[in-house]
Amino acid sequence: MKRLGLHEIRSEYLKYFESKEHLVLPSFSLVPKSDKSLLLIGAGMAPMKKYFTGEALPPSKRVSTCQKCIRTGDIENVGKTARHATFFEMLGNFSFGDYFKKEAIAFAWEFLTVNLEINPEDLWVTVYLDDDEAWEIWNKEIGVPENRIVRLGKEDNFWELSVGPSGPCSEIYIDRGKEFGCDDPDCKPGCDCDRFLEVWNLVFTQFDKDEEGNYNPLSNPNIDTGMGLERIATVLQDTNNIFEIDAIHDLLEGICEKANYKYGEKAKSDESVRVITDHIRAMTFMISDSIIPSNEGRGYVLRRLIRRAARHGRLLGLKEAFLYELANKVIDSWKVEYKELEENRSMIQNVILKEEERFLKTLETGMERLTAAMDSLEKEGKKMLDGEEAFKLYDTYGFPVDLTSEILEERDFQVDMEGFQKEMDAQRTRAREARDDSDNIGWTGTNKTNVFEDLGEIDFKGYETTEVKDTKIVGILLNNERVESVEEEEKAIFVLNPTPFYGESGGQVGDKGTIIGEDFEIQVEDCQRTKEGTIYSIGRVTKGTAKLQNVTAKVDVARREKIRRNHSVTHLLHKALKEVLGEHVSQAGSLVGEDFMRFDFTHFESIQPEQLREIEQKVNEQIYESLPVSTDEMTMKEATEAGAVGLFEDKYGEKVRVVSMGDYSKELCGGTHVDNTAQIGMFKILSESGIAAGIRRVETITGLGAYKYMNEILEERREASALLKANPNQLVEKISQRLEEEKKLQHTLQELQSELAKDQVKGLEEGKKEVEGIAFIAAELNGVAVDEMRNLAEDLREKEQAVIVLSSVNGEKVNFVCASPKSAIEKGVRAGDVVKEVAKIAGGGGGGRPDMATAGGKNPEKASEAIEAVEGILKNLI
């Protein structure tokens, strides 16, 4: 048996199948493309599902890959056992209507016994109960003895989906020896003991299962195989589990070195080391594939992994962020196959560090709350944490409920998951309601259904024109009731068919305009659409009585043009963001209005000024290139193959609109756009900010709005120059000079205030008094800043070994400072307690350390009364 390293096995495998005329493809992304049924890629064949179903044409009939995979179904068990893992690599060879059982079996046997030099006598195989063909190949052609071929039933040796490609499979096992087995003399694959380890699964996809459950033979059967890279490495390196194989063990050792811990000393600490070892690989690869921590979907999976690993680091004594450094070990080792890891090194580290720091800030507070809750449960003899409390830990302190559950299990408690889910659902409901447009005048009717659904599909003409002369009002809603007419000055909802008005969607606001009837006019103030696609206009009758009749509809063209410019620039901006910040950037929302555009996107940190300038320049360059803007209707499949960018998790119909801007940008979009990027005119970024964890926002303007903004900036510059009596070209230099002068004046002022304060405290020593054996000085000052009072109090305390209480009136407020020596603190006189009571008299409050504290009061006229009360306050505290 060859003793090969993890990375050597991968290379050996891919080279072997390349020699067998297989096209070796790089691993697909962990993010499924155009497959809403999957959150993350969890199997070698998953990214090629459409090749098996015939929906897409494969690049070759023979393909081989090493696919990175994530599975989180057993995440709670990762670390507790040495078997479970979230990240793994799956070796696979695939045939799409080319070779079948005979070749697949021969390839597998040759690779294991010849290339990896595994003893054939150590290998066993299983076949499906009725698959005589596979049995014959293994026995007659490969030469595996009958007693080492095991027939198993559908549960073990048949692969299928509810509907679609399916078929029997054959698994290859390695006999690890009797010492791993049970006492059953007939022990063989299928037994629950650890003797036989399955290393390779060969799936013979020969049927198409229909909705009635019938297995119809495929005219071109396929082959789908999978062998876990880590599992075959454990065999070749003769280790007990994946944490002992070379590359992964290097990670484990790195964690132990960081934590100054020797693996094997404590079971609980070993568990933490295994959790971090597994999770650091998973998070590194996920971030490299542009997944950003969030509270939903795959982003939530990533957040769980980072936070779970960070907490286990704390259990090992690692108080500061450390995972971002360990990611380097993964990158340095795995970049031999995955070059994108090196390219994304900086981003990977930054995303992990930001999430670690965010979690560590709340971890201590959240743990205090959770510990207190567990203590209460223990006192009350309960075993279940309330779902509302678990939700608060999630919502306020960022504790994934799985993490809360795991911590509870350590003390034999559980989470009320039903109650937690109830709170989650309530939050989602609140969020949905918050998004409802209160100005829709009840277009859904009182029963929350679309009262216009009988009108059928509305024909939208707004892509081609801004005026429709021969249209008709087909529906009117007034005060939640369908009516046939609306009087002058009344506001109602009107449905036109066809309509030129764009209903708000995809971030673009709705149109405004006018509807002109035979003897009435309607001013359209907004336009919306129902979830079913009914477009409706909200408007006020400005003349006559509006009725169900033929009308002319005119869009406010000037406003529409502004919106078109702002919407078109979102596409250029999206592309520029990806180019400057990285491919992980993805649109997370937008608001396209007439005066500005707001664009939200995934990114893990604030954007540097020089990056913003580069993004802005890239967008303007595309505007000045006068790129033609074209729109094509195509199927989702065609759009994906054409490389269109879009929110692929959104719902789309059979046909989608793909908007192309030259060769620069291609996106799915249902909005209205310019015909040429030059029509945008000019683009300016006004601001950049963070709005949520991993979500950034930029606000921008275009066209005449940008021109106007630039003129306003120049005018402000001119006015500032005039005030400073400076040439506009020397404005920055002049401001720097003034700031330097101000700094010097501030320094001089502070020196004068310090001297004034010292003059005021001269002779205070003579006013030293004593109460219950504790010396104190209480005095009023005037116009002395808090910082200066603090310095004076500290000096007096050290010099006189007395409790010092000082006050100073500054404007309409009085400030207090108290300094207490160690001897007084030991007798119960803490500065924070003293100053708190003193400030109360002047209508304020405050506190601080036992040796130094400050406070403020709203009633400066009571400063004297407060200082006179010091002696009594000290008596009460001693």
Coordinates of all heavy atoms in Angstrom, one line a residue, residues 779-833:
A779 N -14.1 71.3 48.4 CA -14.0 72.8 48.1 C -14.7 73.0 46.7 O -14.8 72.2 45.9 CB -12.5 73.1 48.0
E780 N -15.1 74.3 46.6 CA -15.7 74.8 45.4 C -14.6 75.6 44.5 O -13.9 76.4 45.1 CB -16.8 75.8 45.7 CG -18.0 75.2 46.3 CD -19.1 76.2 46.5 OE1 -19.8 76.6 45.5 OE2 -19.4 76.6 47.6
L781 N -14.6 75.3 43.2 CA -13.7 76.0 42.3 C -14.6 76.7 41.3 O -15.9 76.5 41.4 CB -12.8 75.0 41.6 CG -11.9 74.2 42.5 CD1 -11.0 73.3 41.6 CD2 -11.0 75.0 43.4
N782 N -14.1 77.4 40.4 CA -14.9 78.1 39.4 C -14.2 78.1 38.0 O -13.1 78.5 37.9 CB -15.2 79.6 39.8 CG -16.2 80.2 38.9 OD1 -17.1 79.6 38.5 ND2 -15.9 81.5 38.7
G783 N -15.0 77.6 37.0 CA -14.5 77.7 35.6 C -13.4 76.7 35.3 O -12.6 76.9 34.4
V784 N -13.2 75.7 36.1 CA -12.1 74.7 35.9 C -12.7 73.5 35.2 O -13.7 72.9 35.7 CB -11.5 74.3 37.3 CG1 -10.4 73.3 37.0 CG2 -11.0 75.5 38.0
A785 N -12.1 73.0 34.1 CA -12.5 71.9 33.4 C -12.4 70.6 34.2 O -11.6 70.5 35.1 CB -11.7 71.8 32.1
V786 N -13.2 69.6 33.8 CA -13.2 68.3 34.5 C -11.8 67.7 34.5 O -11.4 67.2 35.6 CB -14.2 67.4 33.9 CG1 -14.1 66.0 34.6 CG2 -15.6 67.9 34.1
D787 N -11.1 67.6 33.4 CA -9.8 67.0 33.3 C -8.8 67.6 34.3 O -8.1 67.0 35.0 CB -9.3 67.0 31.9 CG -10.0 66.1 31.0 OD1 -10.7 65.2 31.5 OD2 -9.9 66.2 29.7
E788 N -8.9 69.0 34.3 CA -8.0 69.7 35.2 C -8.3 69.4 36.7 O -7.4 69.3 37.5 CB -8.0 71.2 34.9 CG -6.9 72.0 35.6 CD -5.6 71.6 35.1 OE1 -5.3 71.3 34.0 OE2 -4.7 71.5 36.0
M789 N -9.6 69.4 37.0 CA -10.1 69.1 38.4 C -9.6 67.7 38.8 O -9.2 67.5 39.9 CB -11.6 69.1 38.5 CG -12.1 70.5 38.8 SD -13.7 70.4 39.6 CE -14.7 69.6 38.4
R790 N -9.6 66.8 37.8 CA -9.2 65.4 38.1 C -7.7 65.4 38.5 O -7.3 64.7 39.4 CB -9.5 64.5 36.9 CG -9.3 63.0 37.2 CD -9.4 62.1 36.0 NE -10.8 62.0 35.5 CZ -11.3 62.6 34.4 NH1 -10.5 63.2 33.6 NH2 -12.5 62.4 34.1
N791 N -6.9 66.1 37.7 CA -5.5 66.2 38.0 C -5.2 66.8 39.4 O -4.4 66.3 40.1 CB -4.7 67.0 36.9 CG -4.8 66.3 35.6 OD1 -4.9 65.1 35.5 ND2 -4.7 67.1 34.5
L792 N -5.9 67.9 39.7 CA -5.8 68.5 41.0 C -6.2 67.6 42.1 O -5.5 67.6 43.1 CB -6.6 69.8 41.0 CG -6.2 71.0 40.1 CD1 -7.3 72.1 40.1 CD2 -4.9 71.5 40.5
A793 N -7.3 66.9 41.9 CA -7.7 66.0 43.0 C -6.7 64.9 43.2 O -6.5 64.5 44.4 CB -9.1 65.4 42.6
E794 N -6.2 64.3 42.1 CA -5.2 63.3 42.3 C -3.9 63.8 43.0 O -3.4 63.1 43.9 CB -4.8 62.7 40.9 CG -5.8 61.8 40.3 CD -5.4 61.2 39.0 OE1 -4.4 61.8 38.4 OE2 -5.9 60.2 38.5
D795 N -3.5 65.0 42.7 CA -2.3 65.5 43.3 C -2.6 65.8 44.8 O -1.7 65.4 45.7 CB -1.9 66.9 42.7 CG -1.3 66.7 41.3 OD1 -1.0 65.5 41.0 OD2 -1.3 67.7 40.5
L796 N -3.7 66.3 45.1 CA -4.1 66.6 46.5 C -4.2 65.3 47.3 O -3.8 65.2 48.5 CB -5.4 67.4 46.6 CG -5.3 68.9 46.5 CD1 -6.6 69.5 46.4 CD2 -4.5 69.5 47.7
R797 N -4.8 64.3 46.7 CA -5.0 63.0 47.4 C -3.7 62.4 47.8 O -3.5 61.9 48.9 CB -5.8 62.0 46.5 CG -6.0 60.6 47.1 CD -6.5 59.7 46.0 NE -5.6 59.5 44.9 CZ -5.9 59.0 43.8 NH1 -7.1 58.6 43.5 NH2 -5.0 58.8 42.8
E798 N -2.7 62.4 46.9 CA -1.4 61.8 47.1 C -0.6 62.6 48.2 O 0.0 62.1 49.0 CB -0.6 61.7 45.8 CG -1.3 60.8 44.8 CD -1.7 59.4 45.3 OE1 -0.8 58.8 46.0 OE2 -2.8 59.0 45.1
K799 N -0.8 63.9 48.1 CA 0.0 64.8 49.0 C -0.6 64.8 50.4 O 0.1 64.7 51.4 CB -0.1 66.2 48.4 CG 0.7 67.2 49.3 CD 0.6 68.6 48.6 CE 1.3 69.7 49.4 NZ 1.2 71.0 48.9
E800 N -1.9 64.8 50.5 CA -2.6 64.9 51.8 C -3.1 63.5 52.4 O -3.5 63.5 53.5 CB -3.7 65.9 51.8 CG -3.3 67.3 51.4 CD -2.4 67.9 52.4 OE1 -2.5 67.7 53.6 OE2 -1.5 68.7 52.0
Q801 N -3.1 62.5 51.5 CA -3.7 61.2 51.9 C -5.1 61.4 52.4 O -5.5 60.9 53.5 CB -2.8 60.5 52.9 CG -1.6 59.8 52.2 CD -2.0 58.8 51.1 OE1 -2.6 57.8 51.4 NE2 -1.6 59.1 49.9
A802 N -5.9 62.2 51.7 CA -7.2 62.5 52.1 C -8.2 62.3 51.0 O -7.8 62.2 49.8 CB -7.3 64.0 52.6
V803 N -9.5 62.2 51.3 CA -10.6 62.1 50.3 C -10.7 63.5 49.8 O -10.9 64.5 50.6 CB -11.9 61.6 50.9 CG1 -13.0 61.7 49.9 CG2 -11.7 60.2 51.4
I804 N -10.7 63.7 48.5 CA -10.8 65.0 47.9 C -12.1 65.1 47.1 O -12.4 64.3 46.2 CB -9.6 65.3 46.9 CG1 -8.3 65.0 47.6 CG2 -9.7 66.8 46.5 CD1 -8.0 65.8 48.8
V805 N -12.9 66.1 47.4 CA -14.2 66.4 46.6 C -14.1 67.8 46.2 O -14.1 68.7 47.0 CB -15.4 66.1 47.5 CG1 -16.7 66.3 46.6 CG2 -15.4 64.7 48.1
L806 N -14.1 68.0 44.8 CA -14.1 69.3 44.2 C -15.3 69.5 43.3 O -15.8 68.6 42.7 CB -12.8 69.5 43.4 CG -11.5 69.3 44.1 CD1 -10.3 69.4 43.1 CD2 -11.3 70.3 45.3
S807 N -15.7 70.8 43.3 CA -16.8 71.1 42.3 C -16.4 72.3 41.5 O -15.5 73.1 41.9 CB -18.1 71.5 43.1 OG -18.0 72.7 43.7
S808 N -17.0 72.5 40.3 CA -16.7 73.7 39.5 C -17.9 73.9 38.6 O -18.4 73.0 37.9 CB -15.5 73.5 38.6 OG -15.2 74.6 37.8
V809 N -18.4 75.2 38.6 CA -19.5 75.5 37.8 C -19.0 76.0 36.4 O -18.1 76.8 36.3 CB -20.3 76.7 38.4 CG1 -21.4 77.2 37.5 CG2 -20.9 76.2 39.7
N810 N -19.5 75.3 35.4 CA -19.1 75.7 34.0 C -20.4 75.9 33.2 O -21.1 75.0 32.8 CB -18.3 74.6 33.3 CG -17.0 74.4 34.0 OD1 -16.1 75.2 33.8 ND2 -16.8 73.3 34.8
G811 N -20.7 77.2 33.0 CA -22.0 77.6 32.3 C -23.2 77.2 33.1 O -23.3 77.6 34.3
E812 N -24.1 76.4 32.5 CA -25.3 76.0 33.2 C -25.2 74.6 33.9 O -26.2 74.0 34.2 CB -26.5 76.0 32.2 CG -26.7 77.3 31.6 CD -27.9 77.3 30.6 OE1 -28.4 76.2 30.4 OE2 -28.2 78.4 30.0
K813 N -24.0 74.2 34.1 CA -23.8 72.8 34.7 C -22.7 72.9 35.7 O -21.8 73.7 35.6 CB -23.4 71.9 33.6 CG -23.4 70.4 34.0 CD -23.0 69.5 32.8 CE -22.9 68.1 33.3 NZ -22.5 67.2 32.2
V814 N -22.8 72.0 36.7 CA -21.8 71.9 37.7 C -21.2 70.5 37.6 O -21.9 69.5 37.4 CB -22.4 72.2 39.2 CG1 -23.5 71.2 39.5 CG2 -21.2 72.0 40.2
N815 N -19.9 70.4 37.7 CA -19.1 69.2 37.7 C -18.5 68.9 39.0 O -18.1 69.8 39.7 CB -18.1 69.2 36.6 CG -18.6 69.4 35.2 OD1 -19.5 68.6 34.8 ND2 -18.1 70.3 34.4
F816 N -18.5 67.6 39.4 CA -17.9 67.2 40.6 C -16.8 66.1 40.3 O -16.9 65.3 39.4 CB -18.9 66.5 41.5 CG -20.0 67.4 41.9 CD1 -21.3 67.5 41.2 CD2 -19.9 68.3 43.0 CE1 -22.3 68.3 41.6 CE2 -20.9 69.2 43.4 CZ -22.1 69.2 42.7
V817 N -15.8 66.1 41.1 CA -14.7 65.1 41.1 C -14.4 64.7 42.5 O -14.3 65.5 43.4 CB -13.4 65.7 40.4 CG1 -12.2 64.7 40.6 CG2 -13.6 66.0 38.9
C818 N -14.2 63.3 42.6 CA -13.8 62.8 43.9 C -12.6 61.8 43.7 O -12.7 61.0 42.8 CB -15.0 62.1 44.6 SG -14.5 61.3 46.2
A819 N -11.6 62.0 44.6 CA -10.5 61.1 44.6 C -10.3 60.5 46.0 O -10.4 61.3 47.0 CB -9.2 61.8 44.2
S820 N -10.2 59.2 46.1 CA -10.2 58.6 47.4 C -8.9 57.7 47.6 O -8.6 56.9 46.7 CB -11.4 57.7 47.6 OG -11.5 57.2 48.9
P821 N -8.1 57.9 48.7 CA -6.9 57.1 48.9 C -7.2 55.7 49.3 O -8.4 55.4 49.7 CB -6.2 57.9 50.0 CG -7.3 58.5 50.8 CD -8.3 58.9 49.8
K822 N -6.2 54.8 49.2 CA -6.4 53.4 49.5 C -6.9 53.2 50.9 O -7.8 52.4 51.2 CB -5.1 52.7 49.3 CG -5.2 51.2 49.4 CD -3.9 50.5 49.1 CE -4.0 49.0 49.2 NZ -2.7 48.3 48.9
S823 N -6.4 54.0 51.9 CA -6.8 53.8 53.3 C -8.2 54.1 53.5 O -8.9 53.5 54.3 CB -5.9 54.8 54.2 OG -6.1 56.1 53.7
A824 N -8.8 55.1 52.7 CA -10.2 55.4 52.9 C -11.1 54.3 52.2 O -12.2 54.0 52.7 CB -10.5 56.8 52.3
I825 N -10.6 53.8 51.0 CA -11.4 52.8 50.3 C -11.5 51.6 51.2 O -12.6 51.0 51.2 CB -10.6 52.4 49.0 CG1 -10.6 53.6 48.0 CG2 -11.3 51.3 48.3 CD1 -9.7 53.5 46.8
E826 N -10.5 51.2 51.9 CA -10.6 50.0 52.8 C -11.6 50.2 53.9 O -12.1 49.2 54.4 CB -9.2 49.8 53.4 CG -8.2 49.3 52.4 CD -6.7 49.2 52.9 OE1 -6.5 49.7 54.0 OE2 -5.9 48.7 52.2
K827 N -11.9 51.4 54.2 CA -13.0 51.7 55.2 C -14.3 51.9 54.6 O -15.3 52.4 55.3 CB -12.5 52.9 56.1 CG -11.3 52.6 56.9 CD -11.0 53.8 57.8 CE -9.8 53.5 58.7 NZ -9.4 54.6 59.6
G828 N -14.5 51.7 53.3 CA -15.8 51.8 52.7 C -16.1 53.1 51.9 O -17.2 53.3 51.4
V829 N -15.1 54.0 51.9 CA -15.3 55.3 51.2 C -14.7 55.2 49.8 O -13.5 55.4 49.6 CB -14.6 56.4 52.0 CG1 -14.8 57.8 51.3 CG2 -15.1 56.5 53.4
R830 N -15.6 54.8 48.9 CA -15.2 54.7 47.5 C -15.6 56.0 46.7 O -16.7 56.5 46.9 CB -15.9 53.5 46.8 CG -15.5 52.1 47.5 CD -16.3 51.0 46.8 NE -15.9 49.7 47.4 CZ -16.5 49.2 48.6 NH1 -17.4 50.0 49.2 NH2 -16.1 48.1 49.1
A831 N -14.7 56.4 45.9 CA -14.9 57.7 45.2 C -16.3 57.7 44.4 O -17.0 58.7 44.4 CB -13.8 58.0 44.2
G832 N -16.6 56.6 43.7 CA -17.8 56.5 42.9 C -19.0 56.7 43.8 O -20.0 57.3 43.3
D833 N -19.0 56.1 45.0 CA -20.2 56.2 45.9 C -20.3 57.6 46.4 O -21.5 58.2 46.5 CB -20.1 55.2 47.1 CG -20.0 53.8 46.6 OD1 -20.6 53.5 45.5 OD2 -19.5 52.9 47.4

